[in-house]
Amino acid sequence: EPEVTQTPSHQVTQMGQEVILRCVPISNHLYFYWYRQILGQKVEFLVSFYNNEISEKSEIFDDQFSVERPDGSNFTLKIRSTKLEDSAMYFCASSEYVLGYTFGSGTRLTVV
Amino acid sequence: ELKVEQNPLFLSMQEGKNYTIYCNYSTTSDRLYWYRQDPGKSLESLFVLLSNGAVKQEGRLMASLDTKARLSTLHITAAVHDLSATYFCAVVFSSGSARQLTFGSGTQLTVLP
């Protein structure tokens, strides 16, 4: 069964450092998403990406965040200057046009 | 405001008992999903409900959707320990152009022997 692959599974970074989280969505999917989940809390939408551009973003997705699809297969989330409150599990997801969101296994980001 | 509310947030139940988790949402939705999450793991898709009156069942879990009431339920029949997990409902709101999911707060289910 096709999978969404995320790397790394765990990233520890110092406050103020830049991090890039990587995702390989399912190849024939059209929509790509990043969500985050602070420990013990609900899953929150960050951003969606379609046709090589951001289609929607939440209030969480401020100027410190950016996404890109550099090579037609990878989908990355960059946090420019990490804060302690960015510590969370970040999930990438992709979807077909009609149905079916597939989530990756997540990257646990710990900012120290 | 697009809101999804689940209750209860925490649920402890004895093996063999039945219980229902409720999911209310604030405005018109295209579809509703139920996910299971084990600690430290990703989100496992359980059900997608597309239309009013939709009912889906898998094993001891059954999900239903009432679009008029903006309510979905996840019913657990004769619970077993393996069902212990956090269950999320998530809604795709019709007004969302990118069709992103809006999640409820989750219900942490613990099935006791």
Side-chain angles (χ1 to χ4, degrees), chain A residues 4 6 21-23 32-38 41-47 75 77 88-94 102-108, chain B residues 37-44 88 103:
Chain A
V4 174
Q6 287 187 244
L21 310 183
R22 292 184 166 78
C23 170
F32 313 114
Y33 308 84
W34 284 101
Y35 292 84
R36 81 170 185 191
Q37 184 180 32
I38 295 170
Q41 297 187 25
K42 69 177 178 181
V43 180
E44 300 173 292
F45 167 72
L46 293 178
V47 65
F75 178 49
L77 174 69
M89 183 76 94
Y90 288 80
F91 291 108
C92 173
S94 66
T102 303
F103 283 82
S105 54
T107 294
R108 178 165 297 284
Chain B
Q37 187 181 39
D38 291 298
K41 302 293 185 182
S42 187
L43 295 154
E44 176 190 352
F88 291 95
F103 282 82

Side-chain angles (χ1 to χ4, degrees), chain A residues 8-72:
Chain A
S9 57
H10 191 189
Q11 172 106 34
V12 181
T13 189
Q14 295 222 326
M15 195 168 52
Q17 295 295 305
E18 174 184 287
V19 293
I20 297 176
L21 310 183
R22 292 184 166 78
C23 170
V24 179
I26 294 173
S27 59
N28 62 340
H29 284 188
L30 301 176
Y31 292 84
F32 313 114
Y33 308 84
W34 284 101
Y35 292 84
R36 81 170 185 191
Q37 184 180 32
I38 295 170
L39 185 64
Q41 297 187 25
K42 69 177 178 181
V43 180
E44 300 173 292
F45 167 72
L46 293 178
V47 65
S48 58
F49 195 84
Y50 171 70
N51 203 24
N52 286 319
E53 61 183 18
I54 291 174
S55 49
E56 204 147 338
K57 59 185 180 180
S58 72
E59 292 176 352
I60 303 168
F61 194 88
D62 61 21
D63 292 344
Q64 293 299 312
F65 291 88
S66 62
V67 290
E68 62 176 7
R69 197 153 187 249
D71 56 11

